[in-house]
C-alpha cells in the first residue's frame, strides 16, 4: 500500500487549471548582492562550515539556518550564489517555517515568477512551484516519452525581458531507494573553456527564447504552444550583473534560434553549445538529503533533473524563482 506524503499541505493543486504563459513587462530590478559585504560576516560566521562542491561550481554550507538570516545575511547569500553559482544548505528547517516566511525570504531577491501550469499548495498561489512524482504522477521520463537517455538542461523562464536570479529549491521528500538528484552546470566555466577566437564570434550574437519549450509542446501540442508563446531575445554571452563575468546564456529547451541565422546555421551552433554545457567538467551533481535547500544564480548556471529514481517512489520538492535584471551583453 502506498505511503502517505510527509508534507500533505504541500501537495500540488491547480483549482482553476493551467493558464497561458504570463508576459512580464520589463521593470527596473534590484540586485541584493550589490549591497552585500564581500567578507559575508552574517552568513559565514563562526561555527559555519563552507566547502566547495567542485573548484568551478558549488559551495555546501552547514551550521547556519536560512530562516534566521538577517537582511544583510540574505544579501550575502545572493553574493555567494553569484560567485559560486550554486549554494547547498544542509540540515535546514526551511520546509517547516510556513508559507508566509518562505515567501518573505524568496521575495527579498525580487518579484516571484508565477508559473502558469505547475501546481501549488492549497491556500497559496503560483509563486510556489511544486515538483511532485509518485506512483500516480509522472516525472521527466513520462513528460519526454520513450528515449535512451533523460535530461532536460535549461535555465528557467528566460522568455521575458527580466530573467530569473537567486532561485530557491528545497526538498520535502526524497525517493526511498535513492536517485532524483539535480545536476548543475557553470555557464561561466563553459564560456571560459572555449577558445578566444570562438568566444569572439559569439559576443555579437543574440538568441531567441520562447515559452514554447519542449515541455510545453509536449503538454499542449506545437500549434497551441507557439500560438500562446511569450518570446524574448537575449545576448548569447551575457555579463553577470554582480560579478561582471561572462556566461554562455544558452538554455537548450527554451533558447531555440540564433537571431539573424538561417535555420541550418542556428541548429549547428546551438547543437554544439547545448552539448558543450553538459560536460561534467563544468558541473556538479547534488544529492538531496532531508533538510536540504539549494540556491542558485540562473544568470550563470543551467540545471537538469535526473529522473533515475524508481517510478513508484515519491519525490516532493518546491521551487521559487525571483526575477532579476534584464541581461546585458558581455564585452571586453
Amino acid at each position: 500500500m502506498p505511503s502517505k506524503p510527509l508534507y500533505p499541505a504541500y501537495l500540488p493543486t491547480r483549482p482553476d487549471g493551467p493558464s497561458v504563459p504570463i508576459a512580464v513587462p520589463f521593470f527596473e530590478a534590484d540586485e541584493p548582492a550589490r549591497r552585500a559585504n564581500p567578507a559575508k560576516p552574517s552568513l559565514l560566521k563562526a561555527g559555519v562550515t563552507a566547502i566547495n562542491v567542485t573548484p568551478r561550481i558549488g559551495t555546501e554550507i552547514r551550521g547556519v539556518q536560512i530562516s534566521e538570516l538577517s537582511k544583510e545575511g540574505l544579501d550575502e547569500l545572493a553574493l555567494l550564489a553569484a560567485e559560486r553559482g550554486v549554494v547547498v544548505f544542509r540540515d535546514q528547517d526551511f520546509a517547516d517555517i510556513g508559507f508566509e516566511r518562505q515567501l518573505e525570504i524568496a521575495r527579498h531577491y525580487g518579484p516571484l515568477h508565477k508559473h502558469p501550469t505547475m501546481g501549488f499548495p492549497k491556500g497559496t498561489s503560483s509563486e510556489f512551484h511544486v515538483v511532485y512524482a509518485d506512483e500516480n504522477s509522472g516525472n521527466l521520463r513520462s513528460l519526454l516519452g520513450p528515449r535512451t537517455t533523460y535530461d532536460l538542461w535549461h535555465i528557467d523562464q528566460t522568455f521575458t525581458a527580466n530573467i530569473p536570479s537567486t532561485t530557491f529549491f528545497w526538498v520535502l521528500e526524497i525517493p526511498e531507494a535513492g536517485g532524483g538528484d539535480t545536476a548543475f552546470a557553470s555557464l561561466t566555466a563553459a564560456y571560459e573553456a572555449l577558445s578566444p577566437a570562438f568566444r569572439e564570434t559569439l559576443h555579437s550574437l543574440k538568441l531567441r527564447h520562447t515559452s514554447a519549450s519542449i515541455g510545453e509542446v509536449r503538454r499542449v501540442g506545437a500549434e497551441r504552444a507557439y500560438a500562446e508563446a511569450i518570446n524574448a531575445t537575449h545576448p548569447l554571452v551575457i555579463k553577470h550583473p554582480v560579478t561582471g563575468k561572462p556566461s554562455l546564456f544558452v538554455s537548450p529547451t527554451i533558447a531555440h534560434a540564433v537571431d539573424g541565422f538561417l535555420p541550418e546555421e542556428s541548429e549547428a551552433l546551438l547543437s554544439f553549445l547545448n552539448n558543450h554545457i553538459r560536460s561534467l567538467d563544468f558541473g556538479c551533481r547534488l544529492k538531496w538529503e532531508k533538510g536540504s535547500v539549494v540556491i542558485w544564480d540562473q544568470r550563470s548556471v543551467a540545471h537538469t533533473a535526473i529522473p533515475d529514481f524508481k517510478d513508484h517512489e515519491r519525490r516532493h520538492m518546491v521551487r521559487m524563482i525571483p526575477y532579476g535584471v534584464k541581461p546585458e551583453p558581455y564585452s571586453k
Side-chain angles (χ1 to χ4, degrees):
M1 183 176 179
S3 63
K4 294 183 178 180
L6 296 178
Y7 285 83
Y10 283 83
L11 287 173
T13 64
R14 195 86 199 184
D16 299 324
S19 64
V20 298
I22 300 169
V24 178
F26 168 76
F27 63 93
E28 294 291 344
D30 189 21
E31 285 290 337
R34 292 173 177 166
R35 302 190 296 259
N37 183 332
K40 307 176 186 71
S42 298
L43 177 65
L44 304 180
K45 55 190 178 182
V48 174
T49 61
I51 302 172
N52 286 352
V53 179
T54 79
R56 290 181 167 179
I57 183 173
T59 294
E60 182 170 312
I61 292 182
R62 295 181 187 267
V64 63
Q65 291 291 335
I66 298 170
S67 62
E68 297 175 1
L69 287 175
S70 63
K71 290 183 179 180
E72 291 77 14
L74 293 175
D75 290 346
E76 293 167 17
L77 172 53
L79 178 57
L80 183 60
E83 294 170 342
R84 295 292 303 155
V86 180
V87 184
V88 188
F89 287 85
R90 303 296 191 185
D91 308 314
Q92 296 294 298
D93 63 4
F94 200 84
D96 301 305
I97 62 176
F99 302 136
E100 289 306 315
R101 180 61 177 142
Q102 291 162 351
L103 280 168
E104 181 184 16
I105 291 171
R107 283 174 175 158
H108 179 83
Y109 301 99
L112 299 179
H113 171 67
K114 297 180 179 180
H115 204 285
T117 61
M118 294 183 72
F120 49 84
K122 184 178 179 180
T124 68
S125 56
S126 54
E127 289 97 340
F128 288 87
H129 311 160
V130 178
V131 180
Y132 185 81
D134 64 8
E135 68 276 7
N136 298 314
S137 302
N139 57 30
L140 185 60
R141 291 175 177 268
S142 53
L143 173 68
L144 295 179
R147 295 177 59 159
T148 55
T149 59
Y150 290 85
D151 63 40
L152 200 66
W153 285 97
H154 62 288
I155 310 165
D156 289 316
Q157 319 302 328
T158 59
F159 43 79
T160 52
N162 294 74
I163 58 173
S165 59
T166 311
T167 297
F168 279 67
F169 200 31
W170 67 95
V171 64
L172 301 173
E173 193 168 351
I174 52 180
E176 290 185 5
D181 299 348
T182 303
F184 297 89
S186 168
L187 301 177
T188 300
Y191 170 87
E192 292 171 348
L194 299 171
S195 68
F198 192 76
R199 292 179 208 164
E200 287 297 328
T201 68
L202 302 180
H203 286 170
S204 64
L205 300 180
K206 296 181 179 181
L207 287 183
R208 298 200 295 269
H209 297 243
T210 181
S211 63
S213 63
I214 292 173
E216 190 66 3
V217 169
R218 282 276 184 181
R219 190 180 71 87
V220 301
E223 182 177 359
R224 177 178 167 186
Y226 284 108
E228 296 176 347
I230 303 297
N231 300 287
T233 300
H234 298 304
L236 195 155
V237 180
I238 67 170
K239 175 184 177 181
H240 194 282
V242 176
T243 67
K245 293 183 177 180
S247 291
L248 282 178
F249 201 62
V250 295
S251 182
T253 65
I254 295 174
H256 65 104
V258 180
D259 201 33
F261 273 31
L262 295 172
E264 295 91 340
E265 297 167 341
S266 179
E267 182 179 353
L269 179 58
L270 289 181
S271 177
F272 168 76
L273 293 175
N274 292 343
N275 284 319
H276 176 64
I277 68 169
R278 289 179 166 92
S279 173
L280 296 176
D281 195 27
F282 315 133
C284 62
R285 174 170 174 159
L286 298 180
K287 182 176 178 61
W288 292 99
E289 302 172 359
K290 178 178 171 57
S292 293
V293 181
V294 173
I295 292 110
W296 75 97
D297 192 314
Q298 303 229 39
R299 283 79 62 94
S300 61
V301 173
H303 67 284
T304 182
I306 304 175
D308 57 350
F309 55 97
K310 293 182 178 180
D311 286 343
H312 65 280
E313 291 190 337
R314 185 176 294 109
R315 182 179 185 267
H316 195 179
M317 324 280 289
V318 185
R319 180 186 66 188
M320 285 185 171
I321 303 177
Y323 283 106
V325 298
K326 180 179 180 179
E328 295 183 3
Y330 176 79
S331 60
K332 291 185 178 180

